[in-house]
Amino acid sequence: MSRLASSLDRLESHYDVVVVGSGYGGGVAASRLARAGKRVAVLERGREFVTGEFPARFPDLRAELQLTGKRLRLGSPTGLYDVRFGEDMHVLIGCGLGGGSLINAGVALRPDPRVFRDPVWPDEIRADGLIDEGYARAARWVRPARDETAAERNKYRALASAGVALGKAPVQAPVVVSFAPTVNPAGVAQPACTRCGDCCGGCNVGAKNTVALTYLPDAARHGAEIFTHAKVRHVARAPEGGWRVGFERQDAVALGSTKPGTLTADVVVLAAGTLGSTEILLRSREQGLALSDRLGQRFSANGDIIAFGYGAKLPVDAIGVGHPPKVEGLDVGACVSGQIEIVDEQDLANSLTIQEGVLPSALAPILPALFIPNGRLLGALKSLIAGVYKGPFASLQTFFAVSHDTASGRLVLEDDRIALAWPGAKDEPVYRRLDVALEALVRQAGGSYVKNPLAGTMMGQQPATAHPLGGCGMGRERGEGVVNHKCQVFDASPGAGAADVHDGLYVIDGAIMPRSLGVNPLLTITALAERAMLHLARDRGLAFDAAPRTYTTPISPMAPGRA
Ligand SMILES: Cc1cc2nc3c(=O)[nH]c(=O)nc-3n(C[C@H](O)[C@H](O)[C@H](O)COP(=O)(O)OP(=O)(O)OC[C@H]3O[C@@H](n4cnc5c(N)ncnc54)[C@H](O)[C@@H]3O)c2cc1C
Ligand code: SF4
C-alpha cells in the first residue's frame, strides 16, 4: 500500500475539520466527515507503519519502545509501543497511524447490557437507539470474526483443560481479523490470517482489520489529508471563529528540536486516546479554555491485566512465530482465539472475561531472561529462538483478563505531561478477583502463576493496563462530565448554562467512557464514534453514507517492495 500520510510541509493553514489522533475514534471521524464532503486533516503524533514494517526481531521492537515516567524519558517520541510508568499504575498504548489498533489483540466484544443501564451515562445513550446503529456500523467496518478452527489450537485446548477449575468451557472470541482473503470496505485487499500470533507486535500479513487498513484509507479515498509526526499540544478558540490547534512537529525531534505549528479549523475532533485527549484538554484549560471540573476524573483501567502461567503440563504454543515464520510447523493462531466468560447476574462488577493470549515473536529471545530466576544469565545461554519454541516456554500460558474497577483514577498535568494519580489502584477488589480466578486456572494446568515477571524491576508492583478509559467522561451536564452524549465538550465559561457546549469541539475516543466496560473496548469506542458522527451530521446538516464501497482496483496492504 502506498503511504496514506503526506509530509507536514503540505499542511495548510485552515481545514473544515481537524481530527487529532488516528485510532478508532479518529478513524471513524475522518472517514465519515470526509464522506460528508468536508475538508479534513488528520494530525497523528506517531509514524505510519505499512504492512511488513512492524518489528519482527527484538532489537527492532526495542527501538520502537518509548518509556515515560516521572523522571524518565527514553526512546523515540514516535516509538510504536508507548509505556507510561505511573506511581500507582502503568499504562501501555499504541503510537502510530492507526493508534492502538496497530498493536492490539483485536478482540471485539459488546459489553453486558447492564453497563449502559448505569445512570452514569446520559439518558440519550439508552433512549435514542443510535448506539445499536453505531455497533452495527462498527461491526461492518472492523468485521469481528471467530476463527472456526480455534478449538484445534493448543492454547485453546490448554484453556479448556484449565477451565475445569472454574467449571467453565471456553468459547471462541470474536477478533477483528480476516480469516479468509477479502477486499475490505475501504477497498484494501487483505490476505487471510496466517495464524502467526503476532497481532500485538503488529500484523505483517495485513490480515488484522486495523484502523490503518479500514477507516483511514477510506478517509483518504474521500479526500482526507493525513499527517503524521504532528503532536497536538492544545486547542483554543480562534478570534475569527472556529478553533486554533497548536502542535509540535515530531519529525524535527530527530534533528534535535521540536518545531511548533498552528492551524485553524471550524470543527476539531480530539481523538488522541484517553491519555492524549485528556492531556490536550488539561493543557488547553491551563491556557484559558473553560472546561468542566470533571476533566481528568473517572479514569478506569477497565479491570484489565495480563498475567502468565509458567510450567503448564500441556503444550500451549502461545509465542508468535511472526511473518515470515521464524519456525516452521507451528500453528499458533490469532493472538486471542478463546475466552472464558464468567457472568455474575447479581453483581455486574464481579463479571469477568479471561482470554488466552500470545506474545509477539519479537519478544521470544528475552523470555528466558523474564521468567527464569537469575534469568538474565540463563537468558544469554537460552536465547536461541528455536529453544523458546521447543523448551519450557512452549507451555507458557498468557492471559488477558478484563473486568470492572471503580474508575477512581485521576489524570493531571505534572510538569506539562499527563500523569495518573490513583493511590488505591492496586487494592481495587478487581485485582484480587482476577488473581483468584487465574491462580485456579494455572494450578489446574500444573503451572505456577506469574502475575508480573517484571515485578522488582522498574515496573515495581503496580498494576498495568492496556485499556485506559475515561478522563473526558460523558455526562448530562458539566457538573457530571466533560462531554455530552454527542461527544461535544461542555463549556464552563462564566454565564454558560450547565449543558452548553463549545461549538465545534468534540472528544471521540476511549476518554469519553464514564466507567469501565468490562470487555475489551475497541468495539464500543468505534460504535460510540459512529453514533457521534450520526448526531454531528444531523446537527450540522451534513449527509454521508457509511456503506462499503466497491473499487475496481483494490489496494494491497503491503509496503511497496514486500511480498
Ligand atoms: C497490547 C494491547 C492489546 C490490546 N488488545 C485489545 C483487544 O484485544 N481488544 C480491544 O478492544 N482493545 C484492545 N486494546 C485497547 C485498544 O487498542 C484501545 O482501547 C483503543 O485503541 C483505543 O482507541 P482510541 O480511539 O481511544 O485511541 P488510540 O487507539 O489510542 O488512538 C489515539 C491516537 O492518537 C495519537 N495521539 C496521542 N496524543 C496525540 C497528540 N497529542 N497529537 C496527535 N496525536 C496524538 C496516538 O498516537 C494514537 O495513534 C489493546 C491495547 C494494547 C496496547
Ligand atoms: S495472527 Fe498473524 S496474520 Fe493473523 S492477524 Fe494476527 S498478526 Fe496478522
Side-chain angles (χ1 to χ4, degrees), residues 281 292 294-296 471-475 480-484 488-490:
L281 283 188
S292 160
R294 298 282 163 180
L295 181 60
C472 306
M474 279 190 183
E480 289 183 356
V482 178
V483 298
N484 67 11
Q488 295 169 298
V489 177
F490 288 123

Side-chain angles (χ1 to χ4, degrees), residues 91-399:
V91 183
L92 167 64
I93 53 176
C95 171
L97 193 66
S101 76
L102 301 176
I103 59 163
N104 67 17
V107 179
L109 295 169
R110 202 169 162 164
D112 187 313
R114 288 175 289 175
V115 166
F116 287 112
R117 278 187 225 138
D118 183 338
V120 73
W121 296 93
D123 312 314
E124 294 88 343
I125 291 285
R126 287 176 291 276
D128 70 9
L130 290 184
I131 183 85
D132 290 327
E133 180 58 25
Y135 276 111
R137 289 177 181 222
R140 274 201 292 280
W141 279 74
V142 295
R143 291 170 298 124
R146 290 179 171 82
D147 180 359
E148 283 173 8
T149 64
E152 294 165 21
R153 308 273 107 67
N154 278 342
K155 64 194 178 93
Y156 191 99
R157 288 201 189 109
L159 185 66
S161 142
V164 170
L166 302 176
K168 289 277 172 190
V171 294
Q172 289 168 4
V175 285
V176 292
V177 168
S178 299
F179 289 106
T182 186
V183 176
N184 77 20
V188 177
Q190 292 186 248
C193 170
T194 61
R195 299 184 171 88
C196 76
D198 260 10
C199 315
C200 287
C203 178
N204 276 324
V205 173
K208 188 166 69 161
N209 310 332
T210 64
V211 180
L213 293 187
T214 55
Y215 285 108
L216 290 173
D218 186 67
R221 290 225 197 216
H222 289 86
E225 294 169 44
I226 296 178
F227 301 92
T228 52
H229 298 91
K231 181 172 182 180
V232 169
R233 287 188 48 79
H234 68 278
V235 292
R237 281 190 179 281
E240 64 277 21
W243 294 92
R244 189 160 43 81
V245 179
F247 67 94
E248 263 173 9
R249 285 185 69 147
Q250 302 290 299
D251 49 353
V253 172
L255 308 172
S257 66
T258 53
K259 213 162 126 193
T262 54
L263 75 167
T264 55
D266 304 332
V267 171
V268 171
V269 176
L270 296 179
T274 290
L275 302 186
S277 292
T278 309
E279 179 171 1
I280 292 166
L281 283 188
L282 284 166
R283 195 176 290 116
S284 304
R285 186 169 66 184
E286 274 197 355
Q287 300 188 11
L289 188 64
L291 298 168
S292 160
D293 292 342
R294 298 282 163 180
L295 181 60
Q297 295 183 10
R298 298 201 62 79
F299 174 93
S300 165
N302 206 26
D304 160 57
I305 61 164
I306 177 169
F308 304 90
Y310 181 70
K313 294 207 180 75
L314 288 173
V316 181
D317 295 333
I319 298 165
V321 293
H323 178 77
K326 295 184 171 88
V327 293
E328 293 297 335
L330 262 190
D331 184 15
V332 176
C335 181
V336 172
S337 311
Q339 62 186 23
I340 286 179
E341 295 166 355
I342 297 175
V343 180
D344 185 326
E345 299 293 352
Q346 263 62 52
D347 186 355
L348 173 65
N350 291 334
S351 293
L352 50 102
T353 304
I354 296 174
Q355 290 143 359
E356 41 77 356
V358 178
L359 294 174
S361 62
L363 280 179
I366 64 152
L367 291 179
L370 284 181
F371 282 92
I372 300 178
N374 301 318
R376 279 168 188 79
L377 185 63
L378 263 167
L381 302 172
K382 291 200 167 198
S383 60
L384 281 176
I385 290 180
V388 174
Y389 291 105
K390 286 185 189 145
F393 292 98
S395 58
L396 179 72
Q397 285 180 291
T398 298
F399 300 103

Side-chain angles (χ1 to χ4, degrees), residues 517-538:
L517 298 173
V519 291
N520 318 53
L522 79 82
L523 197 62
T524 301
I525 296 170
T526 312
L528 285 171
E530 291 275 18
R531 180 186 180 279
M533 286 298 116
L534 291 168
H535 276 290
L536 185 150
R538 282 181 189 174

Side-chain angles (χ1 to χ4, degrees), residues 384-423:
L384 281 176
I385 290 180
V388 174
Y389 291 105
K390 286 185 189 145
F393 292 98
S395 58
L396 179 72
Q397 285 180 291
T398 298
F399 300 103
F400 304 137
V402 203
S403 184
H404 294 280
D405 57 29
T406 61
S408 308
R410 189 185 172 111
L411 295 167
V412 291
L413 264 195
E414 261 179 29
D415 298 331
D416 201 36
R417 272 192 206 156
I418 192 116
L420 171 61
W422 193 345

